[in-house]
Amino acid sequence: AQLPQNQQAKRKSIQLCKDYYRGNTNETRLIQEFEEHYQSEDAIRWYLKESFVRKLIHKALNAGDINFLYQFRFFIADLIENLQRQQQNILQSDETILNVYRGIKLDREEFNKIKHNQGKIISTNEYLLATRQMERAVDSAKRSTRKTDMISVLLHIQCDIKSMDKNILFGNIDQFSDDHDKHEVLFDFNTCFEIESIDDCDSLKIIKMNLSDQGQMAMRHFIELKQQQTEEMNLTIIVGRLLCSLGEYEKSKRYFQQLFNDANDEDRAWIEFNIGRVLALNKESNEARIYYNHAYER
């Protein structure tokens, strides 16, 4: 069972946006439009706009701002549901291997961190946009910048569509974009990639990455045990898992505790399991065991 969309949270999140952008005419106009006309099926379209929604979600994800993420959970849940629908279109197509690209600039320290992690798993702490058009991504990577000592990087992401974990979310988003020629794919936050290789090509560093199910493995056993009681993991829980994956254990625990207070009995099993997972990762094994036991006994 899903937690109901929290209209009070929606009103609070809109008020947060109004307060943040007070005096900004353009953003205030968009916030008003969002308040009056937003529907759940519009989530991807609103995220793709260069507006307050995308800016504030990026800021909150990067900062681990639990209060904003909690208040904006209705939109994050809508965005994930929309991605799930778009993913089904890919899964039901004849496509077997997905190849997409993203051109970025990295400073030398950031690049060396990735280089050091070659052969290992990395995860994103934001929604990742990539294009099926390599030339477009190369142009983005080579775009001039005022910053010095920046490295042009082409991310080449590959995925075996037919054998991937169904909990890894991504989807084609052309129909929601103002520029249908971009042929973009949007990946859910906390998506994991294995860095396969790093190569030089002229002035470009090419990082080849494979989509990995590593980020979903920890919960698979519990999901299988609970699948007869619930159709799918509650979408709002994923926000707390993101905070956990970023190492924000205390914030993640507080987020789940807030959810727990508003949850029904079925959702509480999921939430208690995740509180236990946070505690276990934070090496609080005795307390974690208590929450695990509560979850399995429900």
Side-chain angles (χ1 to χ4, degrees), residues 50-93:
E50 291 294 335
S51 69
F52 70 98
V53 176
R54 186 168 171 179
K55 293 172 186 174
L56 290 181
I57 287 180
H58 270 212
K59 183 177 180 180
L61 289 173
N62 286 320
D65 186 342
I66 183 173
N67 292 323
F68 181 85
L69 291 174
Y70 184 76
Q71 298 299 345
F72 229 72
R73 66 192 183 278
F74 79 93
F75 180 83
I76 294 173
D78 287 345
L79 190 54
I80 292 170
E81 285 185 317
N82 277 261
L83 269 181
Q84 286 174 330
R85 286 195 291 270
Q86 295 309 309
Q87 184 181 48
Q88 285 304 309
N89 294 334
I90 294 179
L91 295 178
Q92 293 167 8
S93 72

Side-chain angles (χ1 to χ4, degrees), residues 67-130:
N67 292 323
F68 181 85
L69 291 174
Y70 184 76
Q71 298 299 345
F72 229 72
R73 66 192 183 278
F74 79 93
F75 180 83
I76 294 173
D78 287 345
L79 190 54
I80 292 170
E81 285 185 317
N82 277 261
L83 269 181
Q84 286 174 330
R85 286 195 291 270
Q86 295 309 309
Q87 184 181 48
Q88 285 304 309
N89 294 334
I90 294 179
L91 295 178
Q92 293 167 8
S93 72
D94 295 329
E95 191 172 13
T96 57
I97 302 295
L98 175 73
N99 283 285
V100 291
Y101 308 87
R102 180 174 174 85
I104 58 175
K105 296 282 190 184
L106 293 177
D107 63 37
R108 196 159 297 278
E109 182 180 355
E110 291 173 319
F111 177 76
N112 286 336
K113 283 182 181 178
I114 293 179
K115 191 174 181 180
H116 179 72
N117 283 305
Q118 185 170 340
K120 298 179 182 178
I121 303 294
I122 62 170
S123 64
T124 61
N125 62 347
E126 62 182 15
Y127 293 91
L128 180 68
L129 271 172

Side-chain angles (χ1 to χ4, degrees), residues 230-252:
T230 181
E231 290 184 0
E232 58 187 19
M233 184 175 61
N234 190 297
L235 296 175
T236 57
I237 286 174
I238 298 176
V239 178
R241 290 182 62 201
L242 168 69
L243 291 169
C244 182
S245 73
L246 296 175
E248 299 284 357
Y249 300 128
E250 187 59 34
K251 289 181 179 179
S252 179

